[in-house]
Amino acid sequence: FYSILGITYLDHAGSALFPESLLKAFTDDLRNNVYGNPHSQNISSKLTYDTIEHVRYRILQHFNTTAEDYTVIFTSGCTAALKLVAEAFPWIPEGTKQPSSRFCFLTDSHTSVVGMRGITALMNVLSVPIKPKELLLSEENRLPAEERNCTTPHLFSYPAQSNFSGTKYPLSWIEDIKSGKLCPIKIPGKWFVLLDAASYVSSSPLDLGVHQADFIPISFYKIFGFPTGLGALLVHNRIAPLLRKTYFGGGTAAAYLPEEDFYFPRKSIAERFEDGTVSFLDIIALKHGFDVLEKLTGGMEKIKQHTFALAHYTYTVLSTLKYANGAPVVRIYSDTDFSNPDVQGPIINFNVLDENGEVIGFSQVDKMASLYNIHVRTGCFCNTGACQMHLGMSSEDVQRNLQAGHVCGDDIDLIDGQPTGSVRISFGYMSSFEDAQTFLKFIIATRLSKSDTEIPVQSSLTKLMPESVPDDLPSFNNADKLSPVPHILDREFEDNLSVSKTTDNHQPPEAEAESIRAAVSETTVPTCRRGGRPITVSNIYLYPIKSCSAFEVTEWPVGNKGLLYDRNWMIVNQNGVCVTQKQEPRLCLVNPSIDLNQNVMMIEAEGMEPISVSLEENTGKDTVICESKVCSHRVKTYDCGEKIAAWFSVFLGRPCRLIRQSSDATNKSHQKNTKGLESAANISLSLVNEAQYLLINVASIQPLKEHISARLEEPLEIEEIIRRFRANIVISAPESFEEEEWAEISIGALRFQVVGPCSRCQIICIDQQSGERNKEFLQSLSASRGKKTNFGIYLMNQPLHSSFPGILSVGSQVLPVLKENTEIQPPTSSEEKCSG
């Protein structure tokens, strides 16, 4: 934190400060990668989209929840998230036959929460402010059993932590209100809870696995300091389908007509509510924010203890300061005695008093603090309700102050001798004990004479230091005590950052989209292929590491996810996003091979020493299961360690890691159209993009070979083209493209369902022997196939008709079953598919 040397920054509730290492990691990321608009389909845009999805999972992980329970909707900040809730909540207005909705909010709420009532008023929904003490007595509002079946939706909003005083309101209120144990007001209906967590999550861990509020708005600059102008709304999936939306912006529509009142929203809740292009570079910066936060602090629980210790110490000393006449130096506005971090955050709100007990205006205090290079916050902090409650201002007082010329944010601090606001100091994870001492010395130096200060302050500091800053307090430099700012400077990222992590008992979230789409029509009547020369398997390839070189075999075991060890590993960048030949063509020069007898995978590349990876899955208790994404589905993986990560990082010249799919959380493909697949719900995938197998026909390559050779004016080998298409099964059939007429095939005891054609991407333009690109191949494929880029077919196991483990062998006969409709429809996903 070089930027704060010489400055005592005490406005962490306003914004956290970003460390140098965060900026370095982010700018290094931008220098090493090209991120395009995520709504496009090119390589850079796909990288952006995948990274954004990875950040969503990282956010959910940070709050100990998963995509099964919550959806992350990116917004411009907490305020925009609150506005979205007000606009989309399924209110029932006054004047209908049904009981009408209510919007209730705690008076100790941010302006942005109270401002929601402007939207609800337009919807003819009543708003009801609730004082904290009223809610504690709200058990009296419990409804009789006969009135609890009403389904009218009501919304109650309260802050997890007051941004004014740091008071932490009980998270147990969430369940109490939803269950009816607490009732903000006595009215039939179903209560939903909006937890304003913006202030709370800056210094405390929030466990959404336990405290499942329906809406949680946050702003990320409160946590990381950078980026600003980015927030999110976490929406519980049980309420998400009920949300209503009128405006639709770019990227939110699955389809619409400009000349008709026709609009169909995207399926994803996040995409439906993220109007226009999200702030994608800022979102990518969040990944580095989480990494740096964890590296510097060790997690939110340590931040909570650290910041509370500083606040407790400062509060204790500040509250004991007195003038010679015994009058207190400050008046602290708090609902707690700062003895418990579960009920009090690292915020101290106060006004400075003179010897006669009169308030010294906050503007004067602020100016004096600036002379000491101390940065504080003054005013009412966008929380008029708390300001009224603590300063004893009536509604009439606030209106009179406005008539006197005072508005929020100005420096009119006293009117008729009464304060219009106060002073707030707040601590963050980069705050130090020296910061607290500097502030206390400032108060002492400006308010007390030497005779006043010598005994109380020295005794206070001496007495309170051991008690308030215990030796075993968590610190951020592995020392026993809190470190001053210079000791936590210049903590840079390690070269190789790991992917986001979750615990071993992390449950797999449900799939966001269909990763396999059945291509066989409901009306198809399959018939066996008759006559002609026999069809045989000519080559078998597996790709142990996704997007690396093929490993050719003559026979190989087959399991319920495809060829054994096929695409069980993949390489990810520093953001945890899969790296393929699209970004790194040199991956094709990495040659993995499987030795079943030695139970190892050997990895070789020119200029590198061979390295091996055990085939035994790491199932130790220290194994950390991670969440990654391949195309449209999420997968559970674990990291393969530093040694192999360093090997790949050296070879590719960029930080990367090798991860492996975890067998305890297989990826299930959920299909929209499952008529053509039996037991579709139980189909398991490895780290493939679309299906378990990819099959190509040598006969289909021949016309393409002739077309490309003519355009290149040089001969091509069939073997080179076969490798470009990265198939698992290569067959020799009499007719070109006859495989596209098949509904299913049998190879020995194995039966496979055809699920669609493979729509090719630019990977076929990469020479798998040299890594060189030649765009002619994709252009020729498109030209030769009538502007289509389909080549090869996807296959899936038919588990009920196959015995596992089976063996797939070169030379085996292929017995296809034809379908009546001979054109296989391509996958309907907007994502471009490739073999990887």
Side-chain angles (χ1 to χ4, degrees):
F1 302 93
Y2 290 116
S3 58
I4 63 173
L5 285 175
I7 295 174
T8 301
Y9 182 82
L10 296 176
D11 189 24
H12 294 277
S15 175
L17 297 179
F18 57 84
E20 292 278 333
S21 50
L22 193 164
L23 285 187
K24 183 179 185 303
F26 178 50
T27 54
D28 286 350
D29 191 348
L30 296 186
R31 278 193 294 267
N32 294 329
N33 297 284
V34 176
Y35 293 105
N37 189 312
H39 292 164
S40 300
Q41 297 297 317
N42 56 62
I43 299 174
S44 59
S45 298
K46 184 64 167 57
L47 178 63
T48 303
Y49 176 85
D50 288 343
T51 306
I52 289 172
E53 293 307 299
H54 178 78
V55 173
R56 290 190 208 273
Y57 305 141
R58 190 70 181 271
I59 293 168
L60 294 174
Q61 173 201 338
H62 183 76
F63 296 114
N64 194 33
T65 187
T66 70
E68 286 182 331
D69 292 329
Y70 283 91
T71 295
V72 176
I73 301 173
F74 287 112
T75 65
S76 62
C78 185
T79 296
L82 292 165
K83 184 171 181 282
L84 191 157
V85 174
E87 293 172 337
F89 191 80
W91 308 105
I92 296 178
E94 293 282 321
T96 64
K97 295 181 180 180
Q98 303 179 63
S100 58
S101 298
R102 294 291 185 274
F103 169 51
C104 295
F105 57 90
L106 210 65
T107 52
D108 185 359
S109 288
H110 194 277
T111 301
S112 299
V113 172
V114 181
M116 293 170 66
R117 71 185 184 195
I119 294 174
T120 61
L122 290 176
M123 298 180 179
N124 203 20
V125 171
L126 296 181
S127 298
V128 183
I130 306 292
K131 294 179 180 178
K133 292 181 180 179
E134 292 175 350
L135 188 65
L136 295 174
L137 302 174
S138 67
E139 289 191 26
E140 300 174 0
N141 294 330
R142 295 185 68 174
L143 296 170
E146 61 270 20
E147 295 185 29
R148 295 179 188 173
N149 295 326
C150 178
T151 59
T152 296
H154 307 297
L155 182 64
F156 176 72
S157 174
Y158 78 98
Q161 175 177 289
S162 170
N163 72 311
F164 182 95
S165 63
T167 297
K168 292 181 177 179
Y169 291 102
L171 295 177
S172 60
W173 283 0
I174 297 170
E175 183 57 33
D176 289 346
I177 289 173
K178 289 164 66 174
S179 67
K181 182 179 178 181
L182 291 179
C183 294
I185 57 175
K186 192 169 185 178
I187 188 172
K190 179 178 177 62
W191 284 96
F192 295 89
V193 177
L194 187 161
L195 183 72
D196 179 6
S199 178
Y200 183 93
V201 299
S202 65
S203 58
S204 298
L206 176 61
D207 189 343
L208 294 181
V210 177
H211 306 291
Q212 297 197 340
D214 298 290
F215 306 98
I216 305 97
I218 56 176
S219 283
F220 292 107
Y221 72 92
K222 301 277 189 181
I223 306 173
F224 307 123
F226 177 87
T228 58
L230 180 66
L233 176 67
L234 277 67
V235 182
H236 201 286
N237 291 335
R238 63 173 162 249
I239 180 67
L242 304 179
L243 300 181
R244 300 179 298 203
K245 193 166 185 282
T246 51
Y247 174 81
F248 59 94
T252 65
Y256 76 95
L257 291 173
E259 296 182 352
E260 295 181 32
D261 187 14
F262 173 77
Y263 161 71
F264 195 84
R266 286 187 177 272
K267 182 178 180 180
S268 163
I269 294 297
E271 291 179 334
R272 188 182 304 177
F273 283 92
E274 289 172 351
D275 290 305
T277 301
V278 294
S279 186
F280 55 89
L281 293 182
D282 288 338
I283 293 172
I284 291 168
L286 293 182
K287 190 270 176 188
H288 302 291
F290 283 115
D291 284 341
V292 171
L293 192 73
E294 181 68 27
K295 179 180 175 64
L296 293 182
T297 71
M300 294 304 299
E301 181 61 33
K302 290 185 177 180
I303 292 176
K304 172 184 171 182
Q305 298 298 332
H306 171 72
T307 54
F308 177 76
L310 296 177
H312 171 69
Y313 166 74
T314 305
Y315 167 86
T316 306
V317 175
L318 201 60
S319 61
T320 61
L321 294 180
K322 298 184 184 300
Y323 291 104
N325 63 1
V329 174
V330 299
R331 179 182 298 151
I332 298 176
Y333 305 113
S334 176
D335 298 309
T336 77
D337 60 359
F338 282 75
S339 62
N340 186 347
D342 292 330
V343 297
Q344 177 64 51
I347 295 173
I348 303 175
N349 199 305
F350 63 96
N351 267 318
V352 178
L353 309 176
D354 65 14
E355 296 89 337
N356 300 317
E358 298 295 326
V359 173
I360 298 173
F362 60 73
S363 181
Q364 182 178 341
V365 175
D366 189 23
K367 291 174 183 177
M368 290 298 297
S370 297
L371 297 178
Y372 284 75
N373 264 343
I374 298 173
H375 297 190
V376 299
R377 178 79 175 266
T378 60
C380 269
F381 323 103
C382 295
N383 192 335
T384 300
C387 207
Q388 285 186 265
M389 180 172 63
H390 287 284
L391 272 65
M393 293 191 296
S394 67
S395 298
E396 291 74 18
D397 291 334
V398 174
Q399 293 173 354
R400 277 197 298 268
N401 291 344
L402 177 64
Q403 292 174 351
H406 170 62
V407 296
C408 292
D410 66 16
D411 58 1
I412 300 178
D413 47 19
L414 295 172
I415 295 179
D416 297 330
Q418 299 301 310
T420 62
S422 55
V423 181
R424 186 186 73 184
I425 62 171
S426 50
F427 297 97
Y429 74 84
M430 67 290 297
S431 299
S432 69
F433 182 62
E434 285 187 350
D435 293 334
Q437 286 186 312
T438 299
F439 170 74
L440 291 170
K441 290 175 181 178
F442 153 68
I443 294 293
I444 292 167
T446 56
R447 297 312 312 155
L448 300 177
S449 65
K450 290 185 178 181
S451 60
D452 291 332
T453 64
E454 188 171 351
I455 295 177
V457 173
Q458 291 298 327
S459 61
S460 296
L461 292 178
T462 303
K463 179 179 179 180
L464 291 167
M465 275 183 61
E467 178 183 341
S468 302
V469 191
D471 288 343
D472 61 352
L473 187 75
S475 63
F476 302 147
N477 65 343
N478 296 321
D480 290 333
K481 300 189 181 207
L482 290 171
S483 59
V485 172
H487 287 188
I488 56 174
L489 298 177
D490 198 25
R491 297 214 179 169
E492 305 298 341
F493 269 122
E494 299 179 74
D495 289 338
N496 303 316
L497 295 178
S498 62
V499 296
S500 68
K501 301 175 181 178
T502 60
T503 56
D504 284 349
N505 61 359
H506 187 76
Q507 297 298 314
E510 67 180 52
E512 292 180 349
E514 300 80 19
S515 61
I516 306 297
R517 290 168 174 81
V520 184
S521 169
E522 293 183 39
T523 59
T524 294
V525 180
T527 57
C528 293
R529 176 181 182 271
R530 300 181 184 276
R533 298 192 305 275
I535 303 171
T536 58
V537 176
S538 60
N539 303 85
I540 300 172
Y541 299 98
L542 61 145
Y543 306 83
I545 304 177
K546 183 177 176 66
S547 230
C548 288
S549 179
F551 174 48
E552 185 173 6
V553 295
T554 55
E555 64 176 24
W556 199 255
V558 171
N560 63 353
K561 290 194 287 187
L563 293 171
L564 186 64
Y565 299 120
D566 181 46
R567 296 177 175 90
N568 267 207
W569 292 264
M570 70 179 180
I571 300 164
V572 296
N573 67 10
Q574 71 269 34
N575 292 329
V577 174
C578 177
V579 178
T580 71
Q581 289 185 29
K582 292 180 182 180
Q583 299 89 27
E584 287 287 352
R586 296 183 71 241
L587 283 176
C588 71
L589 305 180
V590 176
N591 299 292
S593 59
I594 301 292
D595 188 330
L596 295 177
N597 293 325
Q598 297 296 320
N599 205 32
V600 296
M601 174 175 64
M602 294 298 301
I603 306 173
E604 298 177 291
E606 185 176 351
M608 302 291 292
E609 288 292 327
I611 190 170
S612 64
V613 175
S614 174
L615 299 183
E616 290 289 338
E617 185 165 357
N618 187 354
T619 56
K621 64 179 182 179
D622 295 331
T623 301
V624 180
I625 304 300
C626 311
E627 191 167 77
S628 304
K629 190 170 184 181
V630 177
C631 270
S632 60
H633 51 263
R634 294 182 296 276
V635 292
K636 297 297 181 184
T637 60
Y638 66 86
D639 193 278
C640 294
E642 297 297 332
K643 184 177 179 181
I644 190 66
W647 192 95
F648 276 104
S649 297
V650 170
F651 179 74
L652 295 176
R654 60 186 291 186
C656 57
R657 304 192 73 82
L658 182 70
I659 62 176
R660 184 179 184 181
Q661 185 177 27
S662 173
S663 63
D664 66 347
T666 55
N667 174 40
K668 306 294 185 181
S669 65
H670 295 255
Q671 300 192 71
K672 184 177 181 180
N673 303 309
T674 57
K675 296 291 184 181
L677 282 174
E678 299 184 60
S679 301
N682 295 318
I683 290 172
S684 299
L685 296 179
S686 61
L687 300 178
V688 294
N689 285 0
E690 185 72 7
Q692 293 169 335
Y693 309 88
L694 177 59
L695 178 148
I696 63 173
N697 179 7
V698 175
S700 304
I701 291 177
Q702 190 61 39
L704 179 63
K705 171 181 175 292
E706 295 172 358
H707 193 279
I708 297 175
S709 296
R711 295 183 61 146
L712 293 178
E713 298 182 352
E714 60 182 64
L716 289 173
E717 297 295 329
I718 286 285
E719 178 66 22
E720 178 192 343
I721 301 178
I722 287 176
R723 287 187 173 274
R724 286 177 182 264
F725 284 111
R726 298 178 62 80
N728 295 112
I729 304 170
V730 182
I731 62 167
S732 180
E735 302 293 332
S736 62
F737 300 108
E738 67 170 286
E739 66 274 13
E740 295 184 353
E741 301 175 4
W742 301 344
E744 58 184 74
I745 64 172
S746 296
I747 305 176
L750 302 170
R751 287 184 63 179
F752 306 93
Q753 182 75 49
V754 178
V755 294
C758 177
S759 178
R760 293 297 176 165
C761 68
Q762 57 267 43
I763 285 182
I764 67 169
C765 296
I766 299 172
D767 185 332
Q768 295 298 299
Q769 300 299 314
S770 67
E772 296 178 357
R773 295 180 188 267
N774 188 330
K775 63 178 182 289
E776 186 58 50
F777 282 84
L778 193 61
Q779 293 174 345
S780 293
L781 177 62
S782 176
S784 65
R785 302 230 61 200
K787 297 185 179 180
K788 292 182 180 180
T789 57
N790 295 346
F791 195 92
I793 55 175
Y794 286 123
L795 305 178
M796 296 289 279
N797 289 325
Q798 285 194 345
L800 298 182
H801 300 284
S802 301
S803 58
F804 297 117
I807 300 293
L808 189 64
S809 302
V810 170
S812 298
Q813 189 169 356
V814 179
L815 300 175
V817 174
L818 303 180
K819 59 189 180 67
E820 190 174 273
N821 178 6
T822 60
E823 183 176 356
I824 302 175
Q825 298 301 317
T828 57
S829 170
S830 62
E831 294 196 43
E832 184 179 45
K833 305 298 178 186
C834 63
S835 57

